[in-house]
Amino acid sequence: MRLTTKGRYAVTAMLDLAFHSQVKPVTLTDIAARQTISLSYLEQLFARLRRAGMVKGVRGPGGGYKLCRKTSEINIADIISAVDESLDSTKCGGEANCQKDQACLTHALWMGLSEQIRNYLEDISLADLLEKNQVQDVAKRQHYEVHQAIEIHRHPE
Amino acid sequence: MRLTTKGRYAVTAMLDLAFHSQVKPVTLTDIAARQTISLSYLEQLFARLRRAGMVKGVRGPGGGYKLCRKTSEINIADIISAVDESLDSTKCGGEANCQKDQACLTHALWMGLSEQIRNYLEDISLADLLEKNQVQDVAKRQHYEVHQAIEIHRHPE
DNA sequence: ACTTAACCTAGTAAAATAGTCAACTATTAG
DNA sequence: CTAATAGTTGACTATTTTACTAGGTTAAGT
């Protein structure tokens, strides 16, 4: 399991979706605006998330995306796996033949680490994250920030 | 702490160095040949490892690199930190202002994960890895593999 | 019909990764 | 001393991944 910014974008978007889609579907346009991620990049990410069966797209006006499962049944490891092409960190895909049909020196190390990270992230669900007060606070602020985003950048000449 | 192939290369090279440098310094040329990493890429990695005070270069004939500390005092997290420029996985470098001076939604998550991974890797020293039989076996095989690399790929016509 | 928003394709800019090349310096064996 | 060794450095190239843009098509609601 690699850890890059791509997975972070996906988790952030899913968290935003989980928070805002309780009533009706959420458009990618909204997520893009709130999380400052480009719309088309979100489309790419959500195409993968949809193929992985994690979200469902609803077309037409009033449409958007919603979660396929409950927030307590969606864990972070799955989200990252869905958007990350090569989810093995061992180069040989667990085949242990990275180098001339031999296990590479650090093969066991990376397998162990990969498992460790996966275990950690599998135990964290979107629901867990939503429960945390800090996240809710941030999300609320992002909800209303538009109205207050002005009047800051005025410095004396 | 990000996890990419770059860090893996560094750990592999350091492990090779730890194994072979017990008597005399090891040249990057040797490591490059054994681990099939390009010499110049190794030079880049070892330049960073040297600046981080983990290895020492010995010039002239019979020279090469050797470890500055004992294998039991070099952990994997330090190696990865040394070669990886941006060792924070939070985009804002722990400043919690990734987005318009606010903590991003997933800030706490990535901080926790980063710490988790670091803890895991800090507890593993080069000595630990060397002790593992599997690693020693592989290293020995790599020592002698040249003599046996033929006669495999003959299949009946 | 018209709008909305998912869905899809192709391309592209920027960054990180991986590797190359060439010049230079310090060391040491002979 | 000299030549060979091997680290040191910087600039440069190629590839891949990441992030984004532009343009469409399709399905659903009004």
Side-chain angles (χ1 to χ4, degrees):
Chain A
M1 168 156 290
R2 279 188 320 160
L3 287 182
T4 64
T5 52
K6 194 174 189 178
R8 189 156 64 244
Y9 274 112
V11 173
T12 304
M14 285 290 280
L15 198 54
D16 183 284
L17 178 58
F19 187 82
H20 290 97
S21 71
Q22 280 146 4
V23 184
K24 60 184 180 70
V26 175
T27 68
L28 292 189
T29 310
D30 286 353
I31 298 178
R34 274 194 295 265
Q35 306 305 330
T36 55
I37 307 172
S38 92
L39 175 60
S40 298
Y41 195 47
L42 275 179
E43 283 177 348
Q44 278 181 44
L45 297 178
F46 273 77
R48 287 170 188 266
L49 292 170
R50 190 172 49 80
R51 282 183 222 120
M54 312 194 74
V55 298
K56 189 176 178 337
V58 180
R59 293 183 167 195
Y65 279 95
K66 54 185 185 182
L67 300 176
C68 280
R69 283 171 275 157
K70 284 188 288 185
T71 54
S72 58
E73 289 167 3
I74 299 178
N75 69 62
I76 307 306
D78 287 346
I79 297 174
I80 294 178
S81 298
V83 297
D84 234 342
E85 202 82 8
S86 58
L87 47 85
D88 76 285
S89 64
T90 52
K91 198 175 195 175
C92 47
E95 297 274 338
N97 60 348
C98 346
Q99 220 187 23
K100 297 159 191 159
D101 291 328
Q102 297 175 1
C104 53
L105 270 180
T106 46
H107 186 88
L109 171 68
W110 299 119
M111 292 299 276
L113 174 61
S114 198
E115 200 183 326
Q116 190 83 356
I117 297 171
R118 170 163 281 280
N119 287 342
Y120 178 76
L121 291 178
E122 263 175 358
D123 275 345
I124 303 176
S125 70
L126 283 180
D128 293 334
L129 293 181
L130 285 173
E131 272 167 26
K132 298 196 177 185
N133 282 336
Q134 204 195 345
V135 173
Q136 295 219 2
D137 286 350
V138 173
K140 278 178 195 154
R141 257 183 290 151
Q142 288 181 336
H143 217 108
Y144 295 117
E145 75 186 358
V146 180
H147 309 296
Q148 304 162 346
I150 329 287
E151 324 195 33
I152 306 271
H153 292 286
R154 208 191 317 169
H155 52 75
E157 188 73 21
Chain B
M1 168 156 290
R2 280 188 320 160
L3 287 182
T4 63
T5 51
K6 196 174 188 176
R8 189 156 62 244
Y9 274 116
V11 174
T12 304
M14 286 290 280
L15 199 53
D16 183 284
L17 178 58
F19 188 81
H20 291 98
S21 71
Q22 280 146 5
V23 184
K24 60 185 179 67
V26 175
T27 69
L28 292 189
T29 310
D30 287 352
I31 298 178
R34 275 194 294 265
Q35 307 305 331
T36 54
I37 307 172
S38 93
L39 175 60
S40 300
Y41 196 47
L42 276 179
E43 283 174 349
Q44 279 181 42
L45 297 179
F46 272 78
R48 287 169 187 266
L49 291 169
R50 190 175 51 78
R51 281 183 223 120
M54 313 194 74
V55 298
K56 190 176 179 337
V58 180
R59 293 182 169 195
Y65 279 96
K66 54 185 184 182
L67 301 175
C68 280
R69 283 171 273 157
K70 284 187 289 184
T71 54
S72 58
E73 288 167 3
I74 298 178
N75 69 63
I76 308 305
D78 287 345
I79 297 174
I80 294 179
S81 298
V83 298
D84 233 344
E85 202 81 9
S86 58
L87 47 86
D88 76 283
S89 64
T90 52
K91 198 177 195 173
C92 46
E95 297 273 337
N97 61 347
C98 347
Q99 218 188 25
K100 297 159 190 159
D101 291 330
Q102 298 174 0
C104 53
L105 272 180
T106 47
H107 186 89
L109 171 69
W110 299 119
M111 294 299 276
L113 174 61
S114 198
E115 199 183 327
Q116 190 82 357
I117 297 171
R118 169 163 282 281
N119 287 342
Y120 178 75
L121 292 177
E122 264 175 357
D123 276 346
I124 303 175
S125 70
L126 284 181
D128 293 334
L129 293 181
L130 285 173
E131 272 168 26
K132 298 196 178 187
N133 282 337
Q134 204 194 346
V135 173
Q136 295 219 3
D137 286 350
V138 174
K140 278 177 195 157
R141 257 183 292 150
Q142 288 181 336
H143 219 106
Y144 296 117
E145 72 187 0
V146 181
H147 309 296
Q148 305 163 345
I150 330 285
E151 321 196 35
I152 306 268
H153 292 286
R154 206 190 318 171
H155 51 75
E157 188 74 22

